[in-house]
Amino acid sequence: MIAYLVERCLPENDAADSPPEHPNEDAINLGLEDLQGTVEYGSASSNAFAAKDFGGLHAVKPLAVVRPAVADDVARVIRVALRSPALTVAARGNGHSINGQAMAHRGVVVDMKSLAGIAVVRDCSKSGGPVVEVGGGALWSDVLKRCVLGYGLAPRSWTDYLDLTVGGTLSNAGVSGQAFRFGPQTANVTELEVVTGNGEITVCSHTNNSELFFSVLGGLGQFGIITRARVLLQPAPDMVRWIRLVYSNFTDYMLDAESLVTRDSSFDYVEGFVFVNSDDPVNGWPSVLFDPQHQFDTTCMSKNVDPVLYCLEVALYYKSDDPPSTVDKMVEKLIEGLRYCQNLKLQMDLSYMDFLLRVKKAEQDAKANGIWDAPHPWLNLFVSKKDIADFDRLVFKKLLKDGVGGPMLVYPLIRSKWDNRTSVVLPEGEIFYLVALLRFSHQYPNGPPVQELAAQNREIVQCCIRNGFSFKLYLPHYNSKEEWKHHFGNQWPRFVERKSTFDPMAILAPGQKIFTRNQQQP
Ligand code: FAD
């Protein structure tokens, strides 16, 4: 039932190498010359980016790339597609998908980064507080800089890495260590402007065109293209105390992580990860060092512990004029009673901006040594709390005991912080875990072939199925409608109904492979 996560790997089956169906693609003209933005056809060299994504596993060449200047440009593209027999349209955020989700084979890719305006509204009585109005193609890193530096304000819920677009993460969920308190990013927007698959520009919110609003959030780009979002803000802190606590035992790790995400008074950020109990600089002990000045005293760790260890990652926000002793006391109170290995605590203080931009440094390092551009067969799952201990036993301790060449995140989230009217589907229970296997091919091209890593992903998914775990893929990828039906479960009829209302010709986001372009006029 579950899809092969990597359908086709480069270079063997590169769709970009397949013969063109049209003898001269550059001659095709879609009648989009009167856009306020730009359109480039076929083999224009500036279009090459639209055939690739971060995953590096697929290559799908579009017919044209449109860079809209206004929402009306997006509507015009969709109306052109509505009049054609087979044309599809894919919004592309920053192309950080893994499996070609933002691609359109012989369709139009709309490069949303050209709709990236950011405007802070300090007093918005309708939203009950300050908000930022952002273009669907704005990068979260730019939203951060604009809000914090210009206004001392910040969105409440983030992703770990911020060079992702607002429309791209809202189409999935957008999760990080703040989600236990504020819910995912989809729970932190109050209004959207959307161009539907019917070519209509519609403003929607909880109360106005609410069915469209909730459809689009977590909607995998299936119902409309987000051209503007209104995001809730709060006062930004100045500083962050960032703490890592190491555990040798999953039960202790799980109990502490769950206690932190469910108590009233807690840290402002709670995440965690698994690492290999070895000296491997990529998967093991050394990978945990986040500040070279802070060394572990590993002598306190028994040599007989399990093949993997766990690291709880928490952060407390504070103001720069808070006395250090006050921050120390608050931290002490919050970690009191936690069951981590007492000598394995690391902490550092950094600015709020540096904390939120922490993955940028990792990106720069990865780019410098070539692994950023290598293929990334990543796997993201939501696993129910009821099955996470078995997942640890069977997957982390056995299948992944040697690591994945990058972070293996595992941390709890709270279902009631997610709005069940959105299109996201979750596993059973009030508490579920995000599991993110962020593989980097460190030895690429000489390390394990990408196909082997993808096969391991399939094995993990099969292990979850075999053992009856309650789980859902996050940033899902399937190849057949049957698999999608299974993924959505009892939410499938609602998803199909939403599609028939907002994109009845199935023009949008063909790279998700959920629906086939409908050639009949509805
Ligand atoms: P794209 O990959 O370009 O698009 C994704 C999908 O959304 C496509 O189907 C596309 O058609 C659709 N889409 C794009 N823009 C719009 C729009 N404006 N309107 C409607 N549909 C649209 N996710 C997390 O939740 N938390 C993390 O911490 C996190 N960290 C990440 C770190 C890295 C290094 C990477 C590569 C990914 C990470 N992700 C994380 C995953 C990320 O949220 C998704 O890959 C997201 O889809 C990427 O956003 P993007 O802007 O690049 O979208």
Side-chain angles (χ1 to χ4, degrees):
M1 288 293 286
I2 295 294
Y4 281 175
L5 289 160
V6 176
E7 176 211 19
R8 292 174 298 185
C9 292
L10 291 177
E12 293 88 344
N13 292 314
D14 188 344
D17 291 341
S18 57
E21 289 158 32
H22 191 285
N24 183 1
E25 289 185 352
D26 287 334
I28 292 172
N29 186 318
L30 298 173
L32 289 168
E33 274 54 42
D34 58 347
L35 296 180
Q36 292 183 49
T38 61
V39 55
E40 285 187 90
Y41 289 103
S43 55
S45 57
S46 57
N47 284 356
F49 80 102
K52 299 188 220 148
D53 65 15
F54 181 79
L57 305 166
H58 302 255
V60 174
K61 208 170 153 190
L63 206 58
V65 173
V66 166
R67 291 182 180 81
V70 288
D72 191 55
D73 284 350
V74 178
R76 279 169 188 242
V77 173
I78 293 176
R79 283 189 220 124
V80 164
L82 279 167
R83 290 195 295 273
S84 88
L87 197 65
T88 54
V89 178
R92 181 187 159 99
N94 206 17
H96 277 52
S97 289
I98 299 301
N99 290 293
Q101 287 95 330
M103 296 180 190
H105 179 50
R106 297 186 58 75
V108 179
V109 167
V110 180
D111 180 3
M112 294 303 293
K113 279 170 79 182
S114 64
L115 282 185
I118 300 171
V120 171
V121 184
R122 268 185 183 284
D123 298 306
C124 186
S125 48
K126 266 206 298 189
S127 313
V131 292
V132 60
E133 300 270 356
V134 284
L139 293 178
W140 284 106
S141 51
D142 292 332
V143 177
L144 170 77
K145 288 171 200 160
R146 183 70 188 273
C147 293
V148 175
L149 298 179
Y151 301 87
L153 295 167
R156 311 186 306 180
S157 187
W158 292 100
T159 47
D160 295 345
Y161 169 74
L162 303 190
D163 280 0
L164 307 169
T165 65
V166 169
T169 67
L170 292 181
S171 298
N172 286 290
V175 287
S176 184
Q178 304 83 6
F180 78 92
R181 175 167 297 152
F182 296 111
Q185 291 181 315
T186 44
N188 289 277
V189 286
T190 59
E191 186 181 282
L192 300 173
E193 178 188 78
V194 175
V195 184
T196 67
N198 294 315
E200 288 157 6
I201 304 175
T202 307
V203 174
C204 55
S205 67
H206 286 80
T207 50
N208 178 23
N209 295 312
S210 58
E211 184 59 16
L212 178 62
F213 182 73
F214 292 118
S215 300
V216 164
L217 294 171
L220 307 174
Q222 293 304 301
F223 311 111
I225 296 185
I226 301 167
T227 46
R228 182 179 57 76
R230 183 176 284 183
V231 181
L232 287 169
L233 299 177
Q234 65 180 6
D238 304 318
M239 296 293 294
V240 174
R241 168 90 36 107
W242 183 16
I243 302 165
R244 286 180 169 179
L245 307 168
V246 175
Y247 290 74
S248 59
N249 170 314
F250 187 71
T251 306
D252 289 346
Y253 172 81
M254 192 180 82
L255 288 172
D256 283 359
E258 290 181 12
S259 141
L260 288 174
V261 299
T262 48
R263 52 168 88 156
D264 288 339
S265 172
S266 189
F267 286 100
D268 296 293
Y269 164 103
V270 178
E271 277 202 13
F273 59 93
V274 183
F275 62 100
V276 177
N277 186 11
S278 80
D279 292 330
D280 176 348
V282 173
N283 294 299
W285 283 115
S287 67
V288 180
L289 293 178
F290 65 140
D291 178 345
Q293 289 176 348
H294 296 88
Q295 298 287 335
F296 273 151
D297 175 8
T298 54
T299 53
C300 71
M301 182 65 76
S302 147
K303 292 288 167 230
N304 297 326
V305 292
D306 288 322
V308 292
L309 300 166
Y310 310 90
C311 184
L312 195 58
E313 184 175 76
V314 292
L316 185 75
Y317 298 164
Y318 63 94
K319 287 281 172 199
S320 45
D321 55 6
D322 285 338
S325 60
T326 309
V327 181
D328 291 347
K329 273 195 199 123
M330 282 160 70
V331 168
E332 266 168 41
K333 202 160 163 235
L334 289 171
I335 64 172
E336 194 181 4
L338 296 185
R339 287 154 269 215
Y340 62 96
C341 305
Q342 291 300 312
N343 292 343
L344 300 180
K345 171 181 167 233
L346 303 169
Q347 68 175 40
M348 67 187 286
D349 292 90
L350 70 174
S351 76
Y352 178 64
M353 294 263 287
D354 285 348
F355 176 68
L356 284 182
L357 294 169
R358 63 200 180 278
V359 182
K360 192 72 193 166
K361 169 81 175 71
E363 175 186 346
Q364 284 158 356
D365 292 348
K367 279 187 171 158
N369 57 35
I371 57 170
W372 189 260
D373 296 321
H376 300 99
W378 285 9
L379 178 65
N380 289 275
L381 307 150
F382 292 138
V383 180
S384 172
K385 165 191 158 85
K386 82 175 177 56
D387 297 313
I388 197 67
D390 284 335
F391 185 95
D392 168 65
R393 186 172 52 80
L394 296 170
V395 178
F396 288 131
K397 287 198 177 83
K398 287 195 179 141
L399 294 173
L400 298 178
K401 64 180 171 23
D402 297 322
V404 298
M408 299 189 283
L409 308 184
V410 56
Y411 61 89
L413 295 164
I414 307 290
R415 187 192 193 92
S416 49
K417 302 284 179 184
W418 296 57
D419 194 318
N420 61 16
R421 293 169 291 180
T422 68
S423 295
V424 184
V425 282
L426 299 175
E428 286 168 36
E430 170 65 356
I431 297 181
F432 60 94
Y433 281 72
L434 171 80
V435 173
L437 308 177
L438 310 181
R439 299 172 183 277
F440 280 91
S441 313
H442 284 264
Q443 294 86 26
Y444 185 80
N446 302 320
V450 173
Q451 288 89 336
E452 237 173 69
L453 304 177
Q456 193 182 50
N457 286 344
R458 293 197 291 276
E459 203 181 338
I460 292 165
V461 171
Q462 285 305 326
C463 169
C464 293
I465 294 171
R466 252 195 331 272
N467 288 282
F469 294 169
S470 173
F471 77 102
K472 297 287 175 192
L473 291 193
Y474 175 50
L475 312 165
H477 167 64
Y478 297 104
N479 289 319
S480 74
K481 197 174 261 189
E482 273 313 300
E483 290 159 339
W484 279 111
K485 215 169 156 177
H486 186 258
H487 171 76
F488 282 104
N490 61 10
Q491 299 300 325
W492 176 245
R494 182 181 74 172
F495 201 80
V496 171
E497 179 64 29
R498 289 175 164 183
K499 187 72 173 175
S500 68
T501 307
F502 300 117
D503 182 24
M505 302 298 283
I507 283 165
L508 297 173
Q512 298 279 7
K513 299 190 181 147
I514 307 175
F515 299 100
T516 314
R517 174 70 163 89
N518 181 357
Q519 303 197 358
Q520 306 296 316
Q521 288 297 333

